[in-house]
Amino acid sequence: MPSPHARRAQSGIEAARGPLASLGAAGSERTGFVGRRTELAAVSAELEHARLVTVTGPGGVGKSRLVREVARRAQDRLASRVVFVELEGVSDPSLVVEVVAEALGQRAASDVDAAVVRMLAGTETLLILDGCEHLVAGVHTLVEFLLRACPGLRMVTTSQQVLRLAGEHVIALGPLPVPGEQRLTPHALLAYGAAELFVVHARAACQDLVLDDSAAAAVARVCRHLDGLPLALELVAPMARVLSLEQLAAALEEGMLFSEDLTLGPARHRSMSAALAWSFALLSPGERRLLESLSVFTGGADVEALARVSSGASAPRREVVETLARLADKSLVAVTIGEGESVPRHDLLGVVRRHIQADLEQEGRLEGLARRHLAWCLDMVAGAEEGLISGPHQARWLDSLAREQGNI
């Protein structure tokens, strides 16, 4: 008898074993696959020689959409079997193998592991496990076992963090490219993946949408505000039915959030709040605290600044570094090193920052963090003032002030 978890996942599994075109999310079925051509080619190229490819990235970046398209194209191109398994409905890591067994057509077995191996041994199968981040331990064990026992098996997984398996090839998805502040013609605008995706979904909702120069500028503002996150763009685009593109851009910039429910697909894909809540639920208390502290910085922070604001004094540097590393592994914190710089900075997507700040404000905790950020900023500027007047490191202080302009 199928487990409750397996029954919940069954509809997605049956679709995967039938015509793979039925796997698309609501938006992709209406509009086709948009963007990610480079990443799609990269996954396909990796599968030519790698047996395990993991697609990582933050919630809402389009991992599931990408691997669904990989499944479709692999089904058309390969003689081998393609099996797609959605894992959102599985809460117990030990049940992952049961869900995979059902995807392969094995409804009941006394030894599920052996049954799965029997069904895969001697076959050329591409097995795709979508949404592994809450089941990493169980998926890690199963993937390692299956790849060792089934030489003809290749696998693609999606997860907000890597599985850390030998031979794992990782493809990290970031936000789609967004247009800058320069004025663009409508044709030039659509060269940016974020704008292309938004316009396709806006036109699906409003067929008579006109993309003139003024509308192109508004689309660019929307894309920048939403950081090029595909899910956010898809959720906001249907508002083109009731607002002009200029009104929509202004509403977003004024803090209005739209959470159009796609009605189909995993619950975590139905709003940005749901996607972010899914990600945050997987964090430890220490990881959540550090994310909250990072949210009050504009333009990012280095480890020392974050340690000061996180604790109000100076948190242990090692603890901050280790926590940042885990958050980066979970695709929630971006780490960058500027040209000519040696110290990395850590930052959040604007969508993530605004979500965290809204929660902090609702809980009455934002002001305390903001005051600690202000205290750090005042101390930093005071040190810079003294260094610029009398110190030998004026150039260094000028560079530091330039880096912290957003925070100042």
Side-chain angles (χ1 to χ4, degrees):
M1 173 127 182
S3 70
H5 297 293
R7 284 199 299 272
R8 282 200 295 274
Q10 190 60 35
S11 61
I13 292 168
E14 292 299 339
R17 295 177 60 220
L20 287 175
S22 66
L23 276 174
S28 61
E29 284 201 22
R30 291 193 302 268
T31 62
F33 186 76
V34 179
R36 297 297 190 198
R37 299 171 186 86
T38 301
E39 294 89 343
L40 183 62
V43 175
S44 299
E46 291 286 4
L47 285 172
E48 293 294 331
H49 60 85
R51 297 186 62 207
L52 173 62
V53 177
T54 295
V55 179
T56 66
V61 82
K63 300 182 293 294
S64 297
R65 174 191 288 270
L66 179 70
V67 296
R68 283 186 172 91
E69 189 65 18
V70 168
R72 283 196 196 88
R73 298 192 183 196
Q75 183 80 344
D76 293 340
R77 182 171 53 88
L78 303 174
S80 59
R81 174 173 47 173
V82 179
V83 181
F84 189 104
V85 184
E86 165 61 59
L87 294 176
E88 184 194 18
V90 184
S91 59
D92 184 344
S94 67
L95 295 177
V96 175
V97 67
E98 292 188 22
V99 181
V100 172
E102 289 205 17
L104 294 168
Q106 178 64 57
R107 303 286 178 168
S110 56
D111 186 340
V112 182
D113 288 7
V116 170
V117 170
R118 282 197 303 271
M119 300 190 74
L120 292 173
T123 71
E124 296 289 331
T125 299
L126 174 61
L127 176 61
I128 300 177
L129 304 181
D130 182 36
C132 301
E133 54 272 347
H134 62 304
L135 303 163
V136 168
V139 172
H140 182 287
T141 300
L142 178 64
V143 169
E144 186 176 41
F145 167 69
L146 290 179
L147 290 176
R148 186 172 61 247
C150 308
L153 176 66
R154 287 174 295 165
M155 300 186 70
V156 175
T157 66
T158 72
S159 177
Q160 291 182 23
Q161 64 182 104
V162 297
L163 302 180
R164 297 194 178 280
L165 279 165
E168 180 181 24
H169 291 238
V170 178
I171 294 179
L173 290 193
L176 290 167
V178 301
E181 299 282 349
Q182 74 275 22
R183 299 285 293 187
L184 295 171
T185 65
H187 178 74
L189 174 77
L190 295 178
Y192 293 87
E196 180 189 16
L197 182 67
F198 176 84
V199 170
V200 165
H201 282 271
R203 281 182 168 154
C206 180
Q207 286 76 21
D208 58 353
L209 184 76
V210 175
L211 191 64
D212 55 18
D213 288 348
S214 175
V219 170
R221 289 163 58 196
V222 169
C223 293
R224 289 194 297 270
H225 186 81
L226 298 177
D227 299 302
L229 272 180
L231 180 60
L233 293 163
E234 292 175 22
L235 292 169
V236 165
M239 296 305 298
R241 291 193 304 258
V242 295
L243 296 175
S244 72
L245 293 174
E246 292 84 354
Q247 288 174 323
L248 178 54
L252 287 170
E253 291 164 354
E254 291 167 7
M256 294 178 64
L257 297 177
F258 303 106
S259 56
E260 181 91 355
D261 193 330
L262 291 178
T263 70
L264 297 176
R268 70 181 188 275
H269 292 165
R270 297 182 185 178
S271 73
M272 275 308 301
S273 292
L276 293 172
W278 170 268
S279 300
F280 296 160
L282 305 176
L283 301 178
S284 69
E287 289 167 345
R288 284 195 292 272
R289 283 195 299 272
L290 202 63
L291 271 187
E292 290 169 352
S293 299
L294 188 52
S295 75
V296 297
F297 287 87
T298 300
D302 58 25
V303 169
E304 282 70 24
L306 191 52
R308 165 78 180 274
V309 172
S310 179
S311 68
S314 184
R317 191 177 192 278
R318 178 178 174 180
E319 179 183 317
V320 173
V321 170
E322 290 175 349
T323 306
L324 280 170
R326 293 197 300 272
L327 290 170
D329 279 348
K330 294 175 180 179
S331 306
L332 285 169
V333 169
V335 183
T336 59
I337 299 180
E339 185 176 352
E341 299 288 341
S342 59
V343 178
R345 292 181 70 80
H346 310 273
D347 203 1
L348 302 173
L349 292 172
V351 170
V352 177
R353 178 183 296 108
R354 290 189 292 272
H355 178 87
I356 295 173
Q357 287 189 350
D359 284 350
L360 287 169
E361 187 166 22
Q362 186 174 17
E363 296 168 9
R365 297 192 292 125
L366 180 59
E367 185 176 352
L369 274 174
R371 287 184 178 279
R372 292 210 291 268
H373 176 265
L374 174 61
W376 163 80
C377 207
L378 289 171
D379 286 349
M380 185 267 297
V381 171
E385 182 180 28
E386 182 177 346
L388 288 172
I389 292 173
S390 59
H393 304 296
Q394 292 178 335
R396 190 192 70 185
W397 279 111
L398 286 172
D399 290 342
S400 178
L401 289 172
R403 282 194 302 274
E404 303 298 349
Q405 187 60 46
N407 286 307
I408 297 171

